[in-house]
Amino acid sequence: MSIATPPKEPQGGGVIDLDVYTPIEEPRTKTTQHKGILRWLTTVDHKMIGVMYLWFAGFSVIFGGALAGLIRTQLAFPNGIGGKPLMTPEYFNQFIGMHATFMMFGFVIPAFAGFGNYVIPIMIGARDMAFPKMNAFAFWILVPSGLLMASSFFFGSIPGGWTSYAPLSTKTYAPNLGVDMWIFAIHLAGVSSILGAINFIVTMSNMRAPGMKWFRMPLFCWATLVTSWLQLIGTPVLAGVVTMLLTDRILDTGFFNPAKGGDPLLYQHLFWFYSHPAVYIMMIPGFGMVSQVIQTFSGRPTFGYKGMVYATAFIGVVGFLVWGHHMFSAGMEPWLRAYFGFMTMLVGVPTGVKIFSWLATLWGGSIRFTTSMMFALGFLGLFTIGGISGVFLANVPFDVQVHDTYFVVAHIHYVMFGGAVMTIFAALYYWFPKMSGRYLSERLGKVIFWLIFTGMNVTFLPMHWLGIAGMARRIYTYRPEFHSLNMIVSSGYLLMLTGGLLLVGNVFYTLLAKRRTAPNDAWGGNEVQNTLEWMTTSPPPAHNFDRVPKIVPMAYESLHH
Amino acid sequence: MAKKDIKIIVGLWVLALILSALTTWAYMISYNPATATHGPASISEPTTHWLFQPASSVAERVRTESAWMVFIIMPFLYGPFLMLFYIISRFSKSRHPVADKPNENLTLEVAWTIVPALALIVMAVPAYEALRYMEIPPARPDQVINVTGAQFYWQYELPRYGLTTTDNGTITIDAKTGRATEEDSWLHLPINKTVLMNGQSFQVNHAWWVPAFGVKFDVIPGRINTVWFDTKKKGYFKGQCAELCGTLHAYMRIQVVVEEEKDFYEWVLRKGGTIPEEEEARVVELLGADYRERFAPKDGAKPASLPAATESAKSPVPATAGATEATGSK
Ligand code: HEM
Ligand SMILES: [Cu+2]
Ligand SMILES: [Cu+2]
């Protein structure tokens, strides 16, 4: 195989072959020794690991989605069917906790890690990640984490939602093993997260191909870099707080026990110190992926590339200074409420910069409405709604009214479903031909998009109103006046379910029944953005490139020195 | 970018501003404090909330402050949406086969950083005024309530009257009267008074939340949180525990009755509360000098014969578990 002919100057700048770069030979030879399943189990190839992350994410989203179905069924029939209750509140509370945990730590983060693993080394012109074995370890440690988490169901699971606030999660109120298992699962996922983050940071710092300057990296690389720093700094704090919870539970310490001089509020502070940055860990890579998709299908390179990079970095930094906005009603110093409110509003500024940049990229483009692009455009609209409700929530007096209500549920789903999940679908359709050599069905893809897009709005838009009108979140039955809206919400789930099942079916059908037809530049028009993954075969060889590419400036780069 | 494009973009944003102004206007007229003077007349009516049926000055304050927020923020929702629709219709491959050359415009980038930042600052000012208003309780509140969240009920202490009552969230509507039998065990408050609430908990976290009062605060073991509000409307107000506290969290519903001062004192007396000296004169004025004989509970729970004219006379006070327990514990 060879790298595609360099696109003609001056349109796109491009790529020159050069043998200046020694690949990491040792791990690669190891992977090719085995065939079949053993090959997957022993591989240290970043692409295969990336694909395994994506399978993991796929299983998680199916599991998490099924739990969502159970939650919505209960809320459609809060008094049971024919007088018979559908489930006990114990189970309901475990379902909401597990749904969130699996969707965030099992689906969104691994999916981003999967795309990152697959694409980033190729995008920067490297043979593999910096630490291939550590990469494999980071993935494989996620598997027991997921299993432990899922099996905690048999031991009472977490009774207090994904946040597991103390004291509800302490031994007195949650005597079961479930919480301990959840803690260990978080530990394992945390180790995976930290190792993955180190690997990405080192890879991008050291392994960029000659000529691939920092400010020539595609935006997805930047996004993953910023995310990796967030993971590296934040995850130890999460590990710390759940460890404190663990010792409170099994060693009878008193970190969160006021009778022993502890404070339950400490749990919330430490938890959100990680978990607010975590919400950006679950969004920023999506920003990056969407930038790639929009460039490709609008035929225009991202407007204000550097502004995008700075905005992403700024979100990352400020993300560590706003955790208190999850605790406005928990009781804190008045000036602290004012501070956290103001900092949170500030996050809206770089978020706005990103949205405006995408719009300016699209303006004057020649847009191809592929499924991938439709998900990207859907993302743009839905995420704007979520960002705006986020700014509403930064207003402390307003937040106090809607905190812990369905309004917040609506916000998190507009940013996480309308945001992160839409970008994952966009990226799936976008890179699937690269990863497998096969195209997912475009015609079915559009049906899937409309089902998911409509279903998502039917499900989550009415929730804003429910929250304002007085429906608290995490309740398994509610006052009768909320019933009609909840029926609408639950029916939206059915639309999304249909779309999701079609997608799963289409992925399997494509993998099993379709032939490899994708050329190097599977979507055409790579001369616009010139990213390297489209300059190698689909799927790429184990070593990515026969010759190490050397990057020369793109024609339009003079615009953004 | 062509001149024409700039005109169109400006046009779209002006349209966004107009839409935002219209939204704000619709929001403003959706509630008229002059006509909306009553809360729900019975507990069976739907929940009321701070946005369209505020029942306290705090809620009203948040409502007006939010109008400003809607006006400032909504352009940033409508603007991108209008642009997105326009882009989709004009720049599709079929209508615009060749993409424009890459371009850059630093002024534009600076503008779309600065303008939203300024907008946020403008938005923040009234938000902070409202926050201050919420945070500074009146120096001499008319009523002080100590609320305790427990798994799974709310307990209210009115220290001034030596009175405790427990709301376990259930509502049983009496078919004959149309009223809930548990009514007396709910929190009652006199109208047009300021209320200071101290919240505590001894087990897990809960949050006391009544949307119409614009009040939500967590009750957390080991600390006492405080909020204030006032009662501007008579009626039955509903709330809900807003912090997951265990299996029956959904059932930790809150019911509050705001009523005339006279009815409030009758409730206090029915529940076995004592009237402090400084309020004695007022109670005599409202209920008559013989109020003790007329309203004191007999055998702990049953009130003496009630004057037939009053509202409360329609519902004989039941000896529900909560009520008995509460009176007994005084
Ligand atoms: C403009 C940007 C954003 C702002 C200003 C913002 C603001 C807020 C605020 C103030 C809250 C607290 C609400 C409450 O509980 O009372 C919140 C909750 C939340 N936000 Fe955002 N947000 C933004 C973007 C995002 C993004 C990008 C994500 C993730 C992809 C996200 C995920 C969440 C989640 C998961 C919660 C709820 C956590 C929980 O209580 O379970 N937000 N946001
Ligand atoms: Cu946050
Ligand atoms: Cu509760």
Side-chain angles (χ1 to χ4, degrees), chain A residues 420-546:
Chain A
V421 177
M422 297 296 261
T423 68
I424 290 170
F425 288 157
L428 181 69
Y429 273 87
Y430 182 60
W431 279 316
F432 198 87
K434 177 53 63 186
M435 295 175 172
S436 71
R438 303 166 172 95
Y439 288 96
L440 289 169
S441 159
E442 279 294 312
R443 191 148 10 119
L444 190 58
K446 286 184 186 134
V447 176
I448 292 170
F449 168 78
W450 283 113
L451 279 171
I452 290 180
F453 183 81
T454 318
M456 134 94 206
N457 283 298
V458 173
T459 306
F460 300 119
L461 202 60
M463 286 186 182
H464 290 106
W465 179 246
L466 279 174
I468 288 171
M471 183 167 165
R473 69 193 278 206
R474 295 169 167 171
I475 54 177
Y476 93 118
T477 177
Y478 43 79
R479 295 188 192 264
E481 53 259 38
F482 303 129
H483 189 241
S484 44
L485 269 184
N486 269 288
M487 285 306 268
I488 297 177
V489 167
S490 287
S491 64
Y493 173 81
L494 293 178
L495 291 178
M496 288 196 282
L497 179 69
T498 319
L501 290 178
L502 285 176
L503 180 60
V504 172
N506 194 220
V507 166
F508 278 104
Y509 172 80
T510 311
L511 285 179
L512 297 174
K514 274 207 184 169
R515 297 247 238 88
R516 288 196 169 150
T517 54
N520 288 5
D521 186 2
W523 298 105
N526 189 41
E527 64 275 8
V528 171
Q529 56 172 352
N530 257 310
T531 53
L532 290 170
E533 86 269 29
W534 304 113
M535 300 188 186
T536 179
T537 50
S538 309
H543 48 288
N544 296 344
F545 304 99
D546 283 350

Side-chain angles (χ1 to χ4, degrees), chain A residues 11 78-79 89-90 93 96 159-161 163 165-168 173 258 263-265 268 298-308 327 329-335 337-343 345-349 352-360 362-369 377-378 380-382 384-385 388 391-405 465-482 556 559-561, chain B residues 1 5-6 8-9 12-13 43-52 58-59 62 65-66 69-70 73-77 79-81 83-84 86-94 96-106 108-109 112-114 116-118 120-121 123-124 126-128 130-131 134-135 151 169 171 202-205 207 209-211 213-223 225 237-251 253-255:
Chain A
Q11 228 289 319
N79 303 317
E90 282 87 350
N93 289 352
I96 55 168
T163 50
Y165 278 1
L168 190 57
Y173 302 100
D263 189 343
L265 218 51
Q268 299 186 22
S298 70
R300 275 165 56 83
T302 301
F303 183 101
Y305 165 90
K306 273 201 179 169
M308 282 291 227
M327 303 164 56
S329 70
M332 56 168 104
E333 293 295 313
W335 68 269
R337 292 218 272 191
Y339 160 81
F340 280 124
F342 188 73
M343 290 308 271
M345 284 180 199
L346 216 56
V347 179
V349 176
V353 167
K354 302 199 74 100
I355 288 172
F356 296 137
S357 286
W358 286 315
L359 288 171
L362 289 166
W363 192 279
S366 172
I367 300 172
R368 287 181 281 160
F369 290 98
L377 294 174
L380 213 52
L382 298 177
T384 305
I385 298 178
I388 294 292
V391 176
F392 275 33
L393 291 172
N395 264 274
V396 185
F398 180 90
D399 179 81
V400 169
Q401 312 307 316
V402 295
H403 168 69
D404 258 325
T405 71
W465 179 246
L466 279 174
I468 288 171
M471 183 167 165
R473 69 193 278 206
R474 295 169 167 171
I475 54 177
Y476 93 118
T477 177
Y478 43 79
R479 295 188 192 264
E481 53 259 38
F482 303 129
Y556 65 83
L559 290 168
H560 17 80
H561 25 218
Chain B
M1 218 181 279
D5 283 14
I6 292 174
I8 292 168
I9 293 175
L12 290 174
W13 280 90
I43 200 71
S44 313
E45 286 185 20
T47 317
T48 55
H49 51 84
W50 58 276
L51 191 61
F52 290 148
V58 175
V62 178
E65 186 266 320
S66 299
M69 173 178 86
V70 168
I73 295 299
M74 289 311 257
F76 296 100
L77 179 68
F81 263 82
M83 287 193 64
L84 198 56
Y86 183 82
I87 285 168
I88 289 173
S89 65
R90 176 169 154 201
F91 295 109
S92 63
K93 179 117 188 146
S94 49
H96 192 251
V98 182
D100 295 358
K101 287 249 160 59
N103 58 344
E104 175 139 309
N105 188 334
L106 193 63
L108 188 59
E109 286 187 60
W112 72 37
T113 314
I114 301 280
L118 290 179
L120 288 176
I121 291 171
M123 181 187 81
Y128 286 127
L131 181 60
M134 290 167 70
E135 256 166 6
Q151 280 176 322
I171 303 177
F202 297 106
Q203 304 160 320
V204 301
N205 303 350
W209 175 40
V210 177
F213 297 157
V215 168
K216 177 186 292 134
F217 71 128
D218 293 9
V219 298
I220 292 178
R223 61 177 60 224
N225 282 339
F237 298 98
K238 295 193 253 183
Q240 158 77 46
C241 175
E243 182 69 63
L244 181 53
C245 54
T247 47
L248 299 187
H249 166 55
Y251 289 114
R253 293 173 185 166
I254 296 164
Q255 280 71 225

